[in-house]
């Protein structure tokens, strides 16, 4: 991806879904909606963009319960269909996160789409509400609290959650003090409403979409709230839609996601001839990792320039989680393990600009915490963490621990949207078997919730993001055919 920020799940750590670090964003040129209600397209600001990409700004209500009240900006981008005679409509690229942007995606991953798909659709991206260059929010956190291993709720070495609860309270207080009114109106249902305003501004009766990771939940909620405004919907790397837990289920999914994917890393990390080999047998990699993390819990290594400025057990565990998103990232974990075993560290990883992290973190916090209420009692997390640590030692209790939402001061303004089988049968789910962030078990729950509306293509592959990324040729062909022609498998399909 080449957008402003990949996703909050790894970039700014409050969220629980996809990719890694942030990059400089293409910024939409200032362009208000035209008097006719459409969008005034202009040249995009920023570098590395396809010269065909255009940008505009959509004005939407901050509070849909008060449609005549204050308005906010949503930055939008597009590359028009490459063959107007074959054009079917608009394909909205829905980013992961929460905290991810697809503003650069028409120039980026959209160009990986087959020619017949690029002919059929205008490719449209956007920066969701709260995320710059849309009207931004920030929590104004201390720099240390922006560390991934801090905001991702790794317990203390002894399993204590005291520090996590303190971080949750400190973060929630900062968001309440600095987030303004907008942070109270972030949330998946409002993002879906923004999307429908965008559909109308684009002049489309129905909208096709490709949602990835958290974007699958956004796409599902949109398809539930506006079922007859949908055309062809692709949901890639799918979130558990459990309406009683929402993001708590996504965070908990990392337990099984790591168990599903770590064996693939172990096989790679023990291959003869691998310059980053960490063991001679795959069976030795897991115990080696656990021993090394425990040693770093006791004896962290100084790591100048990193945040935090030490390599401790939780930083190693977070690096493991990040690295399992894609086999292309395995060397990062292996090199860190090999260095730490020798008592050294590699160069500190490059962090995104602090302003980007502040913005992404605030969007993630507001969205996750406004979507559903989390337990407030520390005892709930103490019990869950203890159970998780015993059953899933690789993730050390983090997936069931307290995030900022445990101390969030605002109750949800509406109940989470329940995904059902009511609506047209026009949804295709594509899902890798081994996915650290959105495991197959959660994707099956989304498939079950959609019922007759969907079919699912399960791909025998490892990594997060399947279509045109970490999947396989069979899965890619199936999704491309659906987007280009509407042809969809009659039943759930396995791509070996």
């Amino acid at each position: 991806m080449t957008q402003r920020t990949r996703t909050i799940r790894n970039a700014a750590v409050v969220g629980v879904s996809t990719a890694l670090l942030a990059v400089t964003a293409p910024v939409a040129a200032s362009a208000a909606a035209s008097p006719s209600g459409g969008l005034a397209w202009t040249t995009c600001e920023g570098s590395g963009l396809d010269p065909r990409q255009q940008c505009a700004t959509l004005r939407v209500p901050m509070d849909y319960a008060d449609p005549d009240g204050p308005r906010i900006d949503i930055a939008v981008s597009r590359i028009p269909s490459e063959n107007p005679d074959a054009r079917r409509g608009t394909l909205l690229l829905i980013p992961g996160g929460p905290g991810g942007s697809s503003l650069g995606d028409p120039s980026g991953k959209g160009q990986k789409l087959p020619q017949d798909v690029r002919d059929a659709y205008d490719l449209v991206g956007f920066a969701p509400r709260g995320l710059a260059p849309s009207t931004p929010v920030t929590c104004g956190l201390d720099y240390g609290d922006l560390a991934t291993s801090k905001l991702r709720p790794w317990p203390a070495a002894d399993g204590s959650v005291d520090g996590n609860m303190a971080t949750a309270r400190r973060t929630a207080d900062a968001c309440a003090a600095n987030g303004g009114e907008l942070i109270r109106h972030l949330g998946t249902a409002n993002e879906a409403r923004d999307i429908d305003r965008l559909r109308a501004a684009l002049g489309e009766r129905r909208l096709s979409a490709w949602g990835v990771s958290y974007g699958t939940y956004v796409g599902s909620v949109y398809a539930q709230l506006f079922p007859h405004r949908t055309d062809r919907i692709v949901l890639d790397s799918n979130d558990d839609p459990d309406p009683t837990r929402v993001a708590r289920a996504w965070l908990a999914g990392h337990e099984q996601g790591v168990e599903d994917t770590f064996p693939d890393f172990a096989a790679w990390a023990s291959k003869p001839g691998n310059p980053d080999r960490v063991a001679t047998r795959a069976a030795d990699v897991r115990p080696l990792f656990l021993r090394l993390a425990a040693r770093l819990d006791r004896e962290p290594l100084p790591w100048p320039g990193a945040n935090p400025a030490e390599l401790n057990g939780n930083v190693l565990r977070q690096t493991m989680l990040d690295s399992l998103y894609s086999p292309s990232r395995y060397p990062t974990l292996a090199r860190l393990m090999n260095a730490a075993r020798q008592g050294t560290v590699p160069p500190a990883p490059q962090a995104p600009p602090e302003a980007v992290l502040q913005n992404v973190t605030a969007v993630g916090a507001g969205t996750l915490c406004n979507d559903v209420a989390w337990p407030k009692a520390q005892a709930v997390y103490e019990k869950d963490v203890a159970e998780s640590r015993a059953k899933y030692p690789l993730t050390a209790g983090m997936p069931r621990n307290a995030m900022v939402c445990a101390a969030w001061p605002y109750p949800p303004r509406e109940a989470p949207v329940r995904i059902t089988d009511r609506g047209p049968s026009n949804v295709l789910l594509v899902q890798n078997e081994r996915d650290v962030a959105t495991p197959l078990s959660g994707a099956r729950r989304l498939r079950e919730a959609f019922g007759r509306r969907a079919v699912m293509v399960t791909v025998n592959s490892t990594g997060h993001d399947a279509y045109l990324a970490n999947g396989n040729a069979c899965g890619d062909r199936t999704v491309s055919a659906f987007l280009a022609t509407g042809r969809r498998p009659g039943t759930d399909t396995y791509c070996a």
Side-chain angles (χ1 to χ4, degrees):
M1 295 183 182
T2 56
Q3 68 265 31
R4 177 176 188 272
T5 175
R6 305 282 310 258
T7 73
I8 191 167
R9 291 182 178 167
N10 285 342
V13 304
V14 179
V16 282
S17 190
T18 52
L20 190 56
L21 293 176
V23 295
T24 302
V27 178
S30 178
S34 68
S36 65
L39 293 166
W41 296 101
T42 145
T43 302
C44 297
E45 299 175 8
S47 60
L49 300 175
D50 190 303
R52 297 170 298 169
Q53 182 168 307
Q54 306 165 330
C55 287
T57 301
L58 174 71
R59 299 279 284 170
V60 300
M62 180 170 67
D63 180 358
Y64 279 94
D66 182 18
D68 297 324
R71 301 212 153 218
I72 58 173
D73 291 343
I74 304 294
V76 184
S77 63
R78 76 169 178 184
I79 291 181
S81 160
E82 297 181 23
N83 181 357
D85 291 338
R87 184 185 182 278
R88 177 181 179 84
T90 290
L91 179 65
L92 182 68
L93 308 173
I94 307 178
S101 171
S102 62
L103 204 57
D105 283 356
S107 293
K109 75 174 189 177
Q111 296 309 301
K112 297 180 181 180
L113 289 162
Q115 186 66 53
D116 54 357
V117 177
R118 302 199 311 272
D119 289 345
Y121 300 100
D122 297 345
L123 305 180
V124 172
F126 67 109
R129 60 169 49 209
L131 189 71
S134 298
T135 303
V137 295
T138 185
C139 290
L141 301 182
D142 292 339
Y143 182 70
D145 283 341
L146 294 170
T148 306
S149 57
K150 175 68 71 69
L151 286 171
R152 196 73 72 90
W154 296 100
D158 63 358
S160 169
V161 306
D162 291 349
N164 306 112
M165 292 298 292
T167 297
R169 288 190 293 269
R170 192 167 57 248
T171 303
D173 288 348
C175 290
N178 301 314
E181 185 65 17
L182 177 54
I183 204 164
R184 303 184 65 179
H185 297 282
L186 303 179
T188 304
N190 277 343
E191 185 172 335
R193 295 176 181 116
D194 293 343
I195 287 173
D196 202 56
R197 291 292 181 109
L198 174 57
R199 173 202 58 76
L202 291 168
E204 300 287 5
R205 187 171 64 88
R206 295 187 299 166
L207 194 65
S208 293
W210 172 17
V212 179
S213 194
Y214 166 69
T216 66
Y217 184 61
V218 176
S220 298
V221 169
Y222 182 76
Q224 187 68 37
L225 294 179
F226 304 98
H228 298 294
R229 298 298 189 187
T230 60
D231 189 10
R232 296 170 184 169
I233 305 297
V234 172
L235 304 178
D236 173 359
S237 305
N238 297 275
D239 273 324
D240 184 341
D242 182 351
T244 66
R245 297 195 300 162
V246 192
R248 287 189 70 210
W250 309 340
L251 187 68
H254 284 96
E255 293 172 332
Q256 191 59 52
V258 168
E259 292 295 332
D260 290 346
T261 54
F262 194 89
D264 195 75
F265 167 75
W268 172 89
S270 57
K271 281 184 178 178
N274 181 349
D276 298 311
R277 194 181 194 192
V278 302
T280 58
R281 299 188 311 157
D284 295 332
V285 177
R286 181 187 180 103
L288 188 157
F289 175 86
L290 292 171
R291 287 195 304 270
L292 183 58
R295 192 186 89 190
L296 291 170
D297 283 335
R298 298 187 304 269
E299 303 170 2
L301 298 171
W303 201 357
N307 186 18
E310 66 175 24
L311 173 57
N312 58 41
N314 284 340
V315 171
L316 179 68
R317 294 180 184 101
Q318 182 61 49
T319 302
M320 177 266 294
L321 196 64
D322 293 344
S323 298
L324 294 183
Y325 273 70
S326 171
S328 65
R329 300 184 194 170
Y330 289 173
T332 299
L333 175 58
R335 289 167 190 168
L336 186 61
M337 290 174 65
N338 283 331
R341 292 165 72 189
Q342 302 302 317
T344 64
V345 292
Q350 183 177 1
E354 183 176 347
V356 172
L357 288 179
Q358 292 281 6
N359 182 210
V360 173
T361 299
V363 172
T367 304
L368 298 177
C369 303
N370 292 335
D371 269 2
V372 69
W374 288 48
K376 303 295 185 184
Q378 180 166 332
V380 172
Y381 299 104
E382 289 174 339
K383 177 178 179 293
D384 286 352
V385 166
E387 292 176 353
S388 182
R389 284 168 65 85
K391 189 172 182 181
Y392 301 97
L394 285 171
T395 44
M398 181 278 293
R400 297 194 210 176
N401 203 0
M403 292 176 64
V404 58
C405 305
W408 198 246
Y410 310 118
R413 290 173 175 261
E414 58 186 314
V417 175
R418 181 180 295 274
I419 307 305
T420 73
D421 63 356
R422 294 190 296 275
S425 182
N426 61 355
V427 179
L428 178 66
L429 279 61
V430 59
Q431 177 70 37
N432 284 345
E433 273 193 293
R434 298 168 295 281
D435 183 329
V436 69
T438 56
L440 180 59
S441 55
R444 285 173 171 159
R445 294 186 188 103
L446 181 59
R447 169 67 185 90
E448 181 181 6
F450 269 123
R452 62 170 191 83
R453 297 189 65 185
V455 296
M456 186 162 82
V457 179
T458 303
V459 180
N460 179 17
S461 193
T462 302
H464 187 60
D465 295 3
Y467 181 48
L468 304 180
N470 293 310
N472 66 22
C474 164
D476 290 351
R477 283 195 305 270
T478 305
V479 176
S480 295
F482 174 62
L483 288 174
T485 70
R487 187 172 67 251
R488 192 182 68 168
T491 60
D492 292 350
T493 302
Y494 182 72
C495 275

